[in-house]
PDB file of all heavy atoms in Angstrom:
ATOM      1  N   ALA L 291      82.908  79.720 115.569  1.00 34.00           N
ATOM      2  CA  ALA L 291      84.281  80.156 115.580  1.00 34.00           C
ATOM      3  C   ALA L 291      84.352  81.686 115.842  1.00 34.00           C
ATOM      4  O   ALA L 291      85.432  82.194 116.041  1.00 34.00           O
ATOM      5  CB  ALA L 291      84.960  79.858 114.248  1.00 34.00           C
ATOM      6  N   ALA L 292      83.240  82.394 115.723  1.00 37.00           N
ATOM      7  CA  ALA L 292      83.206  83.805 115.934  1.00 37.00           C
ATOM      8  C   ALA L 292      83.757  84.174 117.313  1.00 37.00           C
ATOM      9  O   ALA L 292      83.433  83.567 118.339  1.00 37.00           O
ATOM     10  CB  ALA L 292      81.857  84.365 115.718  1.00 37.00           C
ATOM     11  N   VAL L 293      84.576  85.222 117.337  1.00 40.00           N
ATOM     12  CA  VAL L 293      85.051  85.708 118.658  1.00 40.00           C
ATOM     13  C   VAL L 293      84.135  86.672 119.323  1.00 40.00           C
ATOM     14  O   VAL L 293      83.588  87.511 118.613  1.00 40.00           O
ATOM     15  CB  VAL L 293      86.460  86.424 118.387  1.00 40.00           C
ATOM     16  CG1 VAL L 293      87.015  86.883 119.715  1.00 40.00           C
ATOM     17  CG2 VAL L 293      87.405  85.429 117.761  1.00 40.00           C
ATOM     18  N   ALA L 294      83.837  86.508 120.560  1.00 41.00           N
ATOM     19  CA  ALA L 294      82.898  87.458 121.242  1.00 41.00           C
ATOM     20  C   ALA L 294      83.462  88.797 121.278  1.00 41.00           C
ATOM     21  O   ALA L 294      84.682  89.054 121.232  1.00 41.00           O
ATOM     22  CB  ALA L 294      82.736  86.924 122.690  1.00 41.00           C
ATOM     23  N   PRO L 295      82.552  89.818 121.343  1.00 45.00           N
ATOM     24  CA  PRO L 295      82.994  91.207 121.279  1.00 45.00           C
ATOM     25  C   PRO L 295      83.918  91.589 122.397  1.00 45.00           C
ATOM     26  O   PRO L 295      84.766  92.517 122.257  1.00 45.00           O
ATOM     27  CB  PRO L 295      81.739  92.018 121.387  1.00 45.00           C
ATOM     28  CG  PRO L 295      80.645  91.042 120.900  1.00 45.00           C
ATOM     29  CD  PRO L 295      81.077  89.704 121.279  1.00 45.00           C
ATOM     30  N   ASP L 296      83.838  90.942 123.508  1.00 45.00           N
ATOM     31  CA  ASP L 296      84.682  91.304 124.660  1.00 45.00           C
ATOM     32  C   ASP L 296      85.928  90.455 124.776  1.00 45.00           C
ATOM     33  O   ASP L 296      86.619  90.416 125.733  1.00 45.00           O
ATOM     34  CB  ASP L 296      83.906  91.161 125.999  1.00 45.00           C
ATOM     35  CG  ASP L 296      83.394  89.724 126.223  1.00 45.00           C
ATOM     36  OD1 ASP L 296      83.589  88.903 125.396  1.00 45.00           O
ATOM     37  OD2 ASP L 296      82.803  89.505 127.279  1.00 45.00           O
ATOM     38  N   ALA L 297      86.285  89.759 123.683  1.00 47.00           N
ATOM     39  CA  ALA L 297      87.444  88.885 123.693  1.00 47.00           C
ATOM     40  C   ALA L 297      88.748  89.693 123.669  1.00 47.00           C
ATOM     41  O   ALA L 297      89.796  89.144 123.956  1.00 47.00           O
ATOM     42  CB  ALA L 297      87.435  87.911 122.546  1.00 47.00           C
ATOM     43  N   GLY L 298      88.677  90.991 123.280  1.00 52.00           N
ATOM     44  CA  GLY L 298      89.900  91.788 123.319  1.00 52.00           C
ATOM     45  C   GLY L 298      90.657  91.633 122.004  1.00 52.00           C
ATOM     46  O   GLY L 298      90.372  90.764 121.200  1.00 52.00           O
ATOM     47  N   PRO L 299      91.625  92.531 121.846  1.00 54.00           N
ATOM     48  CA  PRO L 299      92.422  92.478 120.589  1.00 54.00           C
ATOM     49  C   PRO L 299      93.316  91.259 120.558  1.00 54.00           C
ATOM     50  O   PRO L 299      93.622  90.610 121.511  1.00 54.00           O
ATOM     51  CB  PRO L 299      93.247  93.773 120.678  1.00 54.00           C
ATOM     52  CG  PRO L 299      93.357  94.070 122.178  1.00 54.00           C
ATOM     53  CD  PRO L 299      92.071  93.600 122.743  1.00 54.00           C
ATOM     54  N   GLU L 300      93.773  90.921 119.279  1.00 58.00           N
ATOM     55  CA  GLU L 300      94.614  89.744 119.143  1.00 58.00           C
ATOM     56  C   GLU L 300      96.024  90.128 119.688  1.00 58.00           C
ATOM     57  O   GLU L 300      96.390  91.282 119.785  1.00 58.00           O
ATOM     58  CB  GLU L 300      94.771  89.479 117.671  1.00 58.00           C
ATOM     59  CG  GLU L 300      93.437  89.083 116.991  1.00 58.00           C
ATOM     60  CD  GLU L 300      92.563  90.279 116.630  1.00 58.00           C
ATOM     61  OE1 GLU L 300      93.101  91.369 116.660  1.00 58.00           O
ATOM     62  OE2 GLU L 300      91.404  90.083 116.495  1.00 58.00           O
ATOM     63  N   PRO L 301      96.775  89.071 120.092  1.00 69.00           N
ATOM     64  CA  PRO L 301      98.164  89.356 120.562  1.00 69.00           C
ATOM     65  C   PRO L 301      98.901  90.112 119.454  1.00 69.00           C
ATOM     66  O   PRO L 301      98.836  89.827 118.263  1.00 69.00           O
ATOM     67  CB  PRO L 301      98.706  87.959 120.808  1.00 69.00           C
ATOM     68  CG  PRO L 301      97.492  87.080 121.055  1.00 69.00           C
ATOM     69  CD  PRO L 301      96.441  87.660 120.166  1.00 69.00           C
ATOM     70  N   HIS L 302      99.845  91.024 119.926  1.00 73.00           N
ATOM     71  CA  HIS L 302     100.521  91.889 119.005  1.00 73.00           C
ATOM     72  C   HIS L 302     101.347  91.076 117.995  1.00 73.00           C
ATOM     73  O   HIS L 302     101.327  91.310 116.776  1.00 73.00           O
ATOM     74  CB  HIS L 302     101.397  92.838 119.764  1.00 73.00           C
ATOM     75  CG  HIS L 302     102.235  93.710 118.873  1.00 73.00           C
ATOM     76  ND1 HIS L 302     101.695  94.778 118.230  1.00 73.00           N
ATOM     77  CD2 HIS L 302     103.576  93.688 118.602  1.00 73.00           C
ATOM     78  CE1 HIS L 302     102.672  95.398 117.498  1.00 73.00           C
ATOM     79  NE2 HIS L 302     103.796  94.687 117.746  1.00 73.00           N
ATOM     80  N   ASP L 303     102.150  90.132 118.493  1.00 85.00           N
ATOM     81  CA  ASP L 303     103.008  89.397 117.605  1.00 85.00           C
ATOM     82  C   ASP L 303     102.215  88.589 116.560  1.00 85.00           C
ATOM     83  O   ASP L 303     102.649  88.472 115.447  1.00 85.00           O
ATOM     84  CB  ASP L 303     103.851  88.444 118.403  1.00 85.00           C
ATOM     85  CG  ASP L 303     104.938  89.144 119.265  1.00 85.00           C
ATOM     86  OD1 ASP L 303     105.165  90.336 119.010  1.00 85.00           O
ATOM     87  OD2 ASP L 303     105.502  88.535 120.171  1.00 85.00           O
ATOM     88  N   ALA L 304     101.084  88.021 116.920  1.00 87.00           N
ATOM     89  CA  ALA L 304     100.279  87.239 116.018  1.00 87.00           C
ATOM     90  C   ALA L 304      99.759  88.151 114.925  1.00 87.00           C
ATOM     91  O   ALA L 304      99.685  87.795 113.717  1.00 87.00           O
ATOM     92  CB  ALA L 304      99.184  86.537 116.761  1.00 87.00           C
ATOM     93  N   THR L 305      99.247  89.340 115.277  1.00 89.00           N
ATOM     94  CA  THR L 305      98.708  90.259 114.299  1.00 89.00           C
ATOM     95  C   THR L 305      99.852  90.731 113.377  1.00 89.00           C
ATOM     96  O   THR L 305      99.546  90.936 112.189  1.00 89.00           O
ATOM     97  CB  THR L 305      98.049  91.446 114.977  1.00 89.00           C
ATOM     98  OG1 THR L 305      97.014  90.953 115.925  1.00 89.00           O
ATOM     99  CG2 THR L 305      97.364  92.353 113.994  1.00 89.00           C
ATOM    100  N   GLU L 306     101.014  91.053 113.929  1.00 94.00           N
ATOM    101  CA  GLU L 306     102.109  91.433 113.049  1.00 94.00           C
ATOM    102  C   GLU L 306     102.466  90.317 112.013  1.00 94.00           C
ATOM    103  O   GLU L 306     102.789  90.665 110.869  1.00 94.00           O
ATOM    104  CB  GLU L 306     103.330  91.805 113.874  1.00 94.00           C
ATOM    105  CG  GLU L 306     103.193  93.130 114.582  1.00 94.00           C
ATOM    106  CD  GLU L 306     102.815  94.290 113.716  1.00 94.00           C
ATOM    107  OE1 GLU L 306     103.474  94.520 112.757  1.00 94.00           O
ATOM    108  OE2 GLU L 306     101.770  94.942 113.984  1.00 94.00           O
ATOM    109  N   ALA L 307     102.455  89.130 112.500  1.00 95.00           N
ATOM    110  CA  ALA L 307     102.739  87.986 111.524  1.00 95.00           C
ATOM    111  C   ALA L 307     101.645  87.869 110.486  1.00 95.00           C
ATOM    112  O   ALA L 307     101.923  87.682 109.363  1.00 95.00           O
ATOM    113  CB  ALA L 307     102.863  86.692 112.314  1.00 95.00           C
ATOM    114  N   ALA L 308     100.403  88.143 110.910  1.00 96.00           N
ATOM    115  CA  ALA L 308      99.309  88.107 109.915  1.00 96.00           C
ATOM    116  C   ALA L 308      99.436  89.255 108.959  1.00 96.00           C
ATOM    117  O   ALA L 308      99.227  89.079 107.757  1.00 96.00           O
ATOM    118  CB  ALA L 308      97.967  88.196 110.687  1.00 96.00           C
ATOM    119  N   ARG L 309      99.868  90.408 109.385  1.00 97.00           N
ATOM    120  CA  ARG L 309     100.084  91.561 108.538  1.00 97.00           C
ATOM    121  C   ARG L 309     101.104  91.260 107.439  1.00 97.00           C
ATOM    122  O   ARG L 309     100.989  91.616 106.279  1.00 97.00           O
ATOM    123  CB  ARG L 309     100.557  92.821 109.280  1.00 97.00           C
ATOM    124  CG  ARG L 309      99.374  93.471 110.040  1.00 97.00           C
ATOM    125  CD  ARG L 309      99.789  94.823 110.619  1.00 97.00           C
ATOM    126  NE  ARG L 309      98.757  95.383 111.462  1.00 97.00           N
ATOM    127  CZ  ARG L 309      97.692  96.066 110.939  1.00 97.00           C
ATOM    128  NH1 ARG L 309      97.613  96.233 109.648  1.00 97.00           N
ATOM    129  NH2 ARG L 309      96.753  96.475 111.766  1.00 97.00           N
ATOM    130  N   THR L 310     102.196  90.556 107.849  1.00 97.00           N
ATOM    131  CA  THR L 310     103.269  90.217 106.946  1.00 97.00           C
ATOM    132  C   THR L 310     102.687  89.274 105.854  1.00 97.00           C
ATOM    133  O   THR L 310     103.015  89.450 104.667  1.00 97.00           O
ATOM    134  CB  THR L 310     104.420  89.592 107.669  1.00 97.00           C
ATOM    135  OG1 THR L 310     104.999  90.558 108.592  1.00 97.00           O
ATOM    136  CG2 THR L 310     105.539  89.170 106.712  1.00 97.00           C
ATOM    137  N   ARG L 311     102.023  88.247 106.237  1.00 97.00           N
ATOM    138  CA  ARG L 311     101.439  87.335 105.288  1.00 97.00           C
ATOM    139  C   ARG L 311     100.437  87.999 104.305  1.00 97.00           C
ATOM    140  O   ARG L 311     100.473  87.743 103.128  1.00 97.00           O
ATOM    141  CB  ARG L 311     100.849  86.156 106.020  1.00 97.00           C
ATOM    142  CG  ARG L 311     101.800  85.216 106.746  1.00 97.00           C
ATOM    143  CD  ARG L 311     101.157  84.005 107.266  1.00 97.00           C
ATOM    144  NE  ARG L 311     100.213  84.256 108.349  1.00 97.00           N
ATOM    145  CZ  ARG L 311     100.562  84.211 109.629  1.00 97.00           C
ATOM    146  NH1 ARG L 311     101.815  84.003 109.995  1.00 97.00           N
ATOM    147  NH2 ARG L 311      99.634  84.457 110.612  1.00 97.00           N
ATOM    148  N   VAL L 312      99.596  88.888 104.914  1.00 98.00           N
ATOM    149  CA  VAL L 312      98.579  89.587 104.108  1.00 98.00           C
ATOM    150  C   VAL L 312      99.323  90.479 103.124  1.00 98.00           C
ATOM    151  O   VAL L 312      98.963  90.615 101.944  1.00 98.00           O
ATOM    152  CB  VAL L 312      97.597  90.288 104.946  1.00 98.00           C
ATOM    153  CG1 VAL L 312      96.736  91.279 104.121  1.00 98.00           C
ATOM    154  CG2 VAL L 312      96.711  89.329 105.738  1.00 98.00           C
ATOM    155  N   ALA L 313     100.370  91.181 103.603  1.00 98.00           N
ATOM    156  CA  ALA L 313     101.120  92.116 102.757  1.00 98.00           C
ATOM    157  C   ALA L 313     101.765  91.443 101.575  1.00 98.00           C
ATOM    158  O   ALA L 313     101.681  91.945 100.437  1.00 98.00           O
ATOM    159  CB  ALA L 313     102.185  92.830 103.578  1.00 98.00           C
ATOM    160  N   LEU L 314     102.350  90.255 101.797  1.00 97.00           N
ATOM    161  CA  LEU L 314     102.941  89.489 100.703  1.00 97.00           C
ATOM    162  C   LEU L 314     101.919  89.128  99.655  1.00 97.00           C
ATOM    163  O   LEU L 314     102.130  89.260  98.425  1.00 97.00           O
ATOM    164  CB  LEU L 314     103.641  88.273 101.305  1.00 97.00           C
ATOM    165  CG  LEU L 314     104.914  88.513 102.102  1.00 97.00           C
ATOM    166  CD1 LEU L 314     105.366  87.249 102.740  1.00 97.00           C
ATOM    167  CD2 LEU L 314     106.019  89.084 101.239  1.00 97.00           C
TER     168      LEU L 314
END
Side-chain angles (χ1 to χ4, degrees):
V293 178
D296 60 356
E300 299 79 18
H302 176 75
D303 291 345
T305 305
E306 288 305 305
R309 285 190 185 279
T310 299
R311 292 189 291 268
V312 170
L314 290 172

